Amino acid sequence: LDDRYLQGVATLKHFLANSLEGIPNQPHLPSRHSINAKISLYDLASTYLVPFQETIQRGGAAGIMCSYNRVNGVPMCAHEHFLR
């Protein structure tokens, strides 16, 4: 094994505020692809971000997969504030 390279990593899913899967064959209902989670900055900081922060800082997770949804109108995979 070469210590310069990671042999395996933990990747956290789904960053951020994604707990809605939708109902099969019900396209008129919200799903993880269409939902816009409207969350206050306080709730983001005190509830939603904490598990990711702890798992990275204390657990050593090396990757994050963004979620499909939007948070406060911005798609998470394009959210510059949270993906820096």
Side-chain angles (χ1 to χ4, degrees):
L1 296 178
D2 190 334
D3 290 338
R4 295 177 299 167
Y5 304 102
L6 296 171
Q7 301 301 310
V9 298
T11 301
L12 307 177
K13 298 169 54 175
H14 292 100
F15 185 76
L16 179 71
N18 179 38
S19 61
L20 179 68
E21 289 297 321
I23 300 172
N25 303 316
Q26 299 294 321
H28 63 285
L29 296 176
S31 74
R32 64 183 175 172
H33 301 285
S34 64
I35 197 73
N36 177 28
K38 296 179 182 178
I39 305 169
S40 72
L41 292 178
Y42 175 82
D43 286 337
L44 282 170
S46 65
T47 303
Y48 288 93
L49 293 171
V50 173
F52 289 95
Q53 181 178 5
E54 289 292 313
T55 308
I56 292 166
Q57 291 178 344
R58 295 177 68 197
I64 295 176
M65 179 183 149
C66 60
S67 59
Y68 300 107
N69 60 294
R70 292 172 286 144
V71 172
N72 298 330
V74 181
M76 284 310 300
C77 289
H79 206 301
E80 291 182 24
H81 177 77
F82 291 116
L83 297 180
R84 303 187 243 151

